[in-house]
């Protein structure tokens, strides 16, 4: 269900009350109304695949609390701006997520990306978002991996579907490796994010390889010394 706002979009900013766009009582009332809708959306997202998308990741942990009675105009303005931003995100709506996925999947399959299906379309969105962040793709509107413009993004890669499929498969393999790594205890030095984990894996291999070579050379020297003696 589409959200109906009482005011124009430019009103939903942190300084709405300070600039006189809204009275404090109006801002509080609008926040309370929108908060009710936002809480319902968060609940639906938490019980579905929607929890994996950017809106829930951004706002799901803290949610939207009722305003205290003594909230300042600045606090009310920030709260109103936050709940508005959440509701405007495509990934805050489970219906929007599923509609976008369906349309994107139909388009991509028709364009030759036949390796994509309902079970991997979300991860393909993450893969393409990762490509954007690594500047593999030319700069475009940043944003969520809701998979709205995946085909356009794929075209900008200037790679055939078969090449993208190979890259995607490799990305999935590395992702699985990271997910299978044991989770360290909080506070331990081994607590790593995914980027650090990749470095750890790479450096671990280097250490392992460099550690084997000297040992082999040492054994060879010992062998030669023994023969010479």
């Amino acid at each position: 269900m589409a959200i109906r706002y009482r005011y124009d979009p430019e009103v939903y900013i942190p300084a709405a009350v300070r600039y006189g766009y809204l009275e404090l009582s109006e801002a509080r009332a609008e926040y309370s109304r929108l908060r009710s809708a936002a809480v319902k959306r968060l609940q639906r997202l938490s019980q579905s695949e929607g929890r994996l998308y950017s809106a829930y990741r951004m706002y799901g942990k803290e949610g939207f609390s009722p305003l205290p009675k003594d909230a300042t105009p600045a606090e009310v303005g920030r709260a109103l701006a936050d709940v508005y931003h959440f509701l405007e995100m495509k990934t805050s709506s489970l219906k929007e997520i599923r509609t976008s996925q369906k349309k994107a999947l139909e388009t991509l399959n028709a364009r030759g990306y036949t390796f994509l299906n309902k079970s991997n379309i979300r991860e393909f969105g993450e893969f393409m978002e990762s490509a954007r962040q690594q500047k593999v793709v030319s700069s475009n509107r940043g944003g969520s991996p809701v998979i709205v413009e995946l085909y356009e993004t794929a075209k900008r890669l200037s790679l055939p579907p078969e090449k993208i499929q190979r890259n995607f498969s490799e990305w999935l393999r590395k992702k699985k490796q990271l997910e299978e790594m044991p989770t360290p205890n909080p506070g331990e030095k081994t607590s790593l994010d995914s980027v650090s984990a990749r470095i750890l894996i790479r450096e671990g291999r280097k250490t392992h390889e460099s550690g084997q070579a000297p040992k082999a050379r040492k054994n060879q020297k010992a062998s030669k010394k023994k023969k010479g003696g």
Side-chain angles (χ1 to χ4, degrees):
M1 183 177 179
I3 302 296
R4 293 187 178 183
Y5 301 103
R6 290 176 178 169
Y7 308 102
D8 294 333
E10 57 268 20
V11 171
Y12 296 90
I13 60 172
V17 178
R18 183 161 62 89
Y19 288 166
Y21 295 156
L22 295 174
E23 295 293 332
L24 183 59
S25 58
E26 292 175 326
R28 289 185 67 100
E30 181 68 345
Y31 172 78
S32 179
R33 189 179 71 85
L34 296 182
R35 173 184 172 274
S36 178
V39 169
K40 291 177 182 177
R41 283 196 178 187
L42 283 174
Q43 185 177 8
R44 286 194 291 270
L45 292 173
S46 70
Q47 299 171 351
S48 68
E49 71 273 20
R51 68 185 182 280
L52 302 171
Y53 290 89
S54 55
Y56 188 81
R57 287 179 174 178
M58 187 178 296
Y59 293 102
K61 186 176 180 179
E62 296 184 1
F64 299 96
S65 303
L67 289 170
K69 292 182 178 180
D70 59 348
T72 65
E75 290 171 337
V76 174
R78 282 195 298 271
L80 181 59
D82 280 345
V83 74
Y84 174 80
H85 179 257
F86 168 75
L87 292 171
E88 283 295 286
M89 295 178 74
K90 291 182 181 295
T91 50
S92 73
S93 167
L94 188 57
K95 180 180 179 181
E96 183 69 31
I97 289 173
R98 290 173 176 172
T99 299
S100 297
Q101 285 183 342
K102 183 179 179 181
K103 290 181 179 178
L105 188 56
E106 290 173 352
T107 301
L108 288 162
N109 285 165
R111 300 289 184 174
Y113 297 82
T114 54
F115 60 92
L116 295 174
N117 51 57
K118 289 182 179 180
S119 65
N120 64 12
I121 186 69
R122 182 189 63 79
E123 289 183 310
F124 186 68
E126 293 180 5
F127 164 68
M128 298 303 283
E129 183 66 12
S130 175
R132 288 193 191 99
Q133 293 174 358
Q134 295 175 32
K135 298 183 181 179
V136 174
V137 185
S138 58
S139 297
N140 187 32
R141 288 180 297 175
S144 65
V146 69
I147 320 169
V148 178
E149 299 177 343
L150 287 185
Y151 174 61
E152 286 75 7
T153 302
K155 284 198 302 184
R156 283 192 294 275
L157 280 170
S158 299
L159 295 172
E162 295 78 14
K163 176 67 174 177
I164 292 181
Q165 182 178 6
R166 288 196 296 272
N167 291 345
F168 178 45
S169 297
E170 177 65 12
W171 182 86
L172 285 174
R173 185 185 66 79
K174 291 180 179 178
K175 181 184 177 185
K176 185 177 180 181
Q177 284 182 341
L178 295 176
E179 290 174 345
E180 290 177 348
M181 291 180 67
T183 302
N185 295 323
E188 287 185 359
K189 291 183 179 180
T190 50
S191 297
L192 302 167
D193 57 22
S194 60
V195 175
S196 298
R198 290 188 182 92
I199 295 174
L200 180 64
I201 291 172
R202 185 172 64 249
E203 294 302 318
R205 287 172 180 165
K206 288 181 179 179
T207 301
H208 177 72
E209 292 169 358
S210 61
Q212 292 296 324
K215 186 176 181 181
R217 288 195 295 270
K218 186 176 180 181
N219 290 340
Q220 289 173 1
K221 288 181 179 179
S223 178
K224 289 179 180 179
K225 186 175 181 181
K226 188 175 180 181
K227 289 179 180 179

